[in-house]
Amino acid sequence: MSVLTELYRNRMKYVAKLAVIFLPVLIVLFVVSTEEKDKYLIGAIIVLMLFLFVGTIIRDYYKMKHVSSLTIPVTTSHVMDTEKLIMKQAAWWFPRYWLFTTKGEYLGEIRLSSIPWYWHVLAIYFKKEIPRWFPFTAELRDHEGNKLAFFTKQAGFKQTNLTFFNKEDKKMGEYIQHDLKSVMNIYGTLNDADGKEILQSKVHGKYGDFRLVDAENKHFATFKYGIFPLEYWKVFEDTYNPIIEMNIERTEEEKALMLLLISWWFMSVDEQ
């Protein structure tokens, strides 16, 4: 099963689970309601949700059938050995990002791995964007599904605190972002496991190019937008995508830090 087919199949299952949760509750409320106006209101909500759930499942089913005939090649190299990567936002209820080579070969993904139960309800509203105050865990996986690194985000309003770990669950570093001071711009500090500053981030939203350098002004990564391979235009429905140029001389942990940190910037601000 390709990553695209799996994506739409899982999304159909998720929508079906939402229907199983919400519809019985609404039906019970409709039955026990004594006011006629309440019955009309609840009945209208039930019909609306039925259209929404069924429509979404039918749409994703046909998308799944369409992409099942497409073959996305899997890379022969490892994500940590790749200099240029495309970080592509997946069509998903939760923030999720696929990593590709500039030739369109699948490298891996960054996805949420632990979320509070109430996010399943809030996801209907926020979808691909995630509130900055929201706690969760996200992980980086290679093309074979092996976990390479992950980060946890603490709940909080005044600032963002991310803690990064390698695949052995050993702390790699911590990122602090002062959200109240960065509505349109992103300012933060990335420190290593010992608290030593690695870099200061100063990113103007997610729409412009930027270059990340460490405290010694040495190159870490460059972020810019570029054209995705032509054969995938119908799959992803756009051509303008983010490209990350990694410094291949950096360590595996440093590269994982950069990919996870950039993915957080994508998760916390809506691209649309």
Side-chain angles (χ1 to χ4, degrees), residues 126-179:
F126 289 105
K127 293 184 179 180
K128 300 172 188 176
E129 178 189 357
I130 195 164
R132 295 185 180 184
W133 49 265
F134 189 77
F136 65 90
T137 300
E139 58 189 24
L140 167 66
R141 291 184 175 270
D142 65 15
H143 62 284
E144 295 180 339
N146 300 313
K147 184 169 72 172
L148 304 177
F150 67 97
F151 73 83
T152 60
K153 180 190 174 297
Q154 300 176 12
F157 289 91
K158 292 185 178 181
Q159 70 179 29
T160 293
N161 289 84
L162 308 179
T163 306
F164 300 89
F165 300 88
N166 61 19
K167 57 187 176 183
E168 283 83 27
D169 297 341
K170 181 181 178 181
K171 183 178 178 180
M172 297 191 298
E174 186 176 28
Y175 174 72
I176 300 174
Q177 177 179 307
H178 298 285
D179 293 329

Side-chain angles (χ1 to χ4, degrees), residues 13-51:
K13 291 180 179 178
Y14 177 73
V15 174
K17 289 180 181 178
L18 286 179
V20 171
I21 293 172
F22 286 104
L23 289 177
V25 175
L26 289 172
I27 292 173
V28 170
L29 290 176
F30 178 83
V31 172
V32 301
S33 177
T34 57
E35 296 289 335
E36 187 174 350
K37 61 179 181 179
D38 291 339
K39 283 187 175 291
Y40 278 119
L41 177 60
I42 298 172
I45 295 175
I46 292 174
V47 172
L48 181 62
M49 293 189 73
L50 276 173
F51 274 110

Side-chain angles (χ1 to χ4, degrees), residues 28-213:
V28 170
L29 290 176
F30 178 83
V31 172
V32 301
S33 177
T34 57
E35 296 289 335
E36 187 174 350
K37 61 179 181 179
D38 291 339
K39 283 187 175 291
Y40 278 119
L41 177 60
I42 298 172
I45 295 175
I46 292 174
V47 172
L48 181 62
M49 293 189 73
L50 276 173
F51 274 110
L52 175 63
F53 290 140
V54 174
T56 300
I57 290 174
I58 292 175
R59 180 190 62 188
D60 287 343
Y61 173 77
Y62 281 104
K63 283 187 176 182
M64 184 183 69
K65 297 294 287 185
H66 169 69
V67 300
S68 63
S69 61
L70 301 173
T71 301
I72 294 182
V74 176
T75 181
T76 55
S77 61
H78 196 269
V79 61
M80 288 301 148
D81 299 324
T82 306
E83 184 175 5
K84 291 185 179 181
L85 308 92
I86 293 176
M87 183 177 288
K88 180 62 192 176
Q89 190 175 52
W92 191 250
W93 286 106
F94 305 101
R96 182 180 183 181
Y97 301 93
W98 288 327
L99 301 174
F100 295 90
T101 67
T102 53
K103 295 181 180 180
E105 297 170 325
Y106 177 68
L107 284 167
E109 68 173 346
I110 298 173
R111 63 187 297 177
L112 301 187
S113 58
S114 176
I115 54 175
W117 64 268
Y118 53 81
W119 176 249
H120 291 276
V121 178
L122 296 177
I124 299 175
Y125 174 76
F126 289 105
K127 293 184 179 180
K128 300 172 188 176
E129 178 189 357
I130 195 164
R132 295 185 180 184
W133 49 265
F134 189 77
F136 65 90
T137 300
E139 58 189 24
L140 167 66
R141 291 184 175 270
D142 65 15
H143 62 284
E144 295 180 339
N146 300 313
K147 184 169 72 172
L148 304 177
F150 67 97
F151 73 83
T152 60
K153 180 190 174 297
Q154 300 176 12
F157 289 91
K158 292 185 178 181
Q159 70 179 29
T160 293
N161 289 84
L162 308 179
T163 306
F164 300 89
F165 300 88
N166 61 19
K167 57 187 176 183
E168 283 83 27
D169 297 341
K170 181 181 178 181
K171 183 178 178 180
M172 297 191 298
E174 186 176 28
Y175 174 72
I176 300 174
Q177 177 179 307
H178 298 285
D179 293 329
L180 295 183
K181 298 180 181 179
S182 54
V183 178
M184 296 301 294
N185 302 316
I186 299 173
Y187 300 95
T189 304
L190 178 65
N191 300 320
D192 63 17
D194 298 321
K196 182 180 178 181
E197 181 181 310
I198 298 177
L199 63 83
Q200 290 275 349
S201 65
K202 185 177 181 181
V203 181
H204 299 285
K206 293 192 304 182
Y207 301 96
D209 300 348
F210 60 84
R211 186 169 182 264
L212 295 173
V213 296

Side-chain angles (χ1 to χ4, degrees), residues 205-230:
K206 293 192 304 182
Y207 301 96
D209 300 348
F210 60 84
R211 186 169 182 264
L212 295 173
V213 296
D214 61 19
E216 298 177 355
N217 204 37
K218 295 180 180 179
H219 178 236
F220 242 116
T222 301
F223 178 92
K224 62 183 180 180
Y225 279 88
I227 302 298
F228 203 69
L230 177 64

